[in-house]
């Protein structure tokens, strides 16, 4: 079964008499592919990060941020430049406070260049 089918089945399942659930909406975010423009932008950011001694990596995820809308308009786009952390969108979510200052320095220097 697809994810959408599974969600529809969950929404249609009744656990309490006299109640019902429904599923609405859909996939409303366009994809953000790793385009050549986005890679060039990322490579420029990596040059700045290297000069500042800040470790930086690239990862592709199935997320759906607002950056996807800019990327769909063919605007060079990067996402996920916030602080280092983990446990995203859970009760265990955390950030490494020192990385916040590194990312501020990285963004400031990137914009300056």
């Amino acid at each position: 079964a697809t994810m959408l089918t599974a969600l529809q089945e969950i929404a249609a399942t009744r656990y309490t008499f006299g109640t019902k659930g429904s599923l609405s909406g859909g996939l409303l975010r366009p994809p953000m592919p790793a385009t050549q423009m986005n890679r060039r932008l990322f490579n420029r950011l990596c040059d700045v990060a290297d000069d500042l001694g800040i470790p930086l990596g690239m990862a592709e995820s199935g997320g759906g941020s607002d950056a996807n809308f800019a990327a769909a308009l063919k605007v060079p786009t990067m996402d996920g430049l916030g602080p280092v952390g983990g446990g995203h969108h859970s009760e265990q979510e955390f950030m490494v406070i020192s990385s916040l200052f590194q990312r501020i320095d990285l963004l400031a220097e990137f914009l300056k260049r």
Side-chain angles (χ1 to χ4, degrees):
T2 67
M3 179 65 76
L4 182 56
T5 302
L7 289 171
Q8 288 168 336
E9 289 172 3
I10 291 168
T13 302
R14 295 183 189 185
Y15 295 99
T16 304
F17 179 76
T19 65
K20 69 178 185 175
S22 65
L23 180 65
S24 63
L27 301 175
L28 304 175
R29 301 257 182 218
M32 188 168 75
T35 65
Q36 188 175 16
M37 291 185 309
N38 292 348
R39 285 190 184 103
R40 276 199 304 262
L41 187 62
F42 179 71
N43 288 337
R44 288 182 183 173
L45 185 71
C46 285
D47 290 342
V48 175
D50 286 345
D51 290 348
L52 296 176
I54 297 173
L56 198 60
M58 178 189 271
E60 293 185 38
S61 72
S65 82
D66 290 339
N68 293 42
F69 292 114
L73 296 173
K74 306 226 183 296
V75 174
T77 306
M78 290 185 296
D79 189 25
L81 298 175
V84 175
H88 305 298
H89 312 297
S90 75
E91 291 181 13
Q92 291 78 34
E93 184 169 4
F94 69 93
M95 78 170 196
V96 178
I97 293 175
S98 61
S99 72
L100 182 62
F101 302 106
Q102 284 185 332
R103 295 301 175 104
I104 291 169
D105 291 343
L106 176 61
L107 181 59
E109 184 61 27
F110 179 75
L111 293 173
K112 193 166 38 174
R113 291 186 191 185

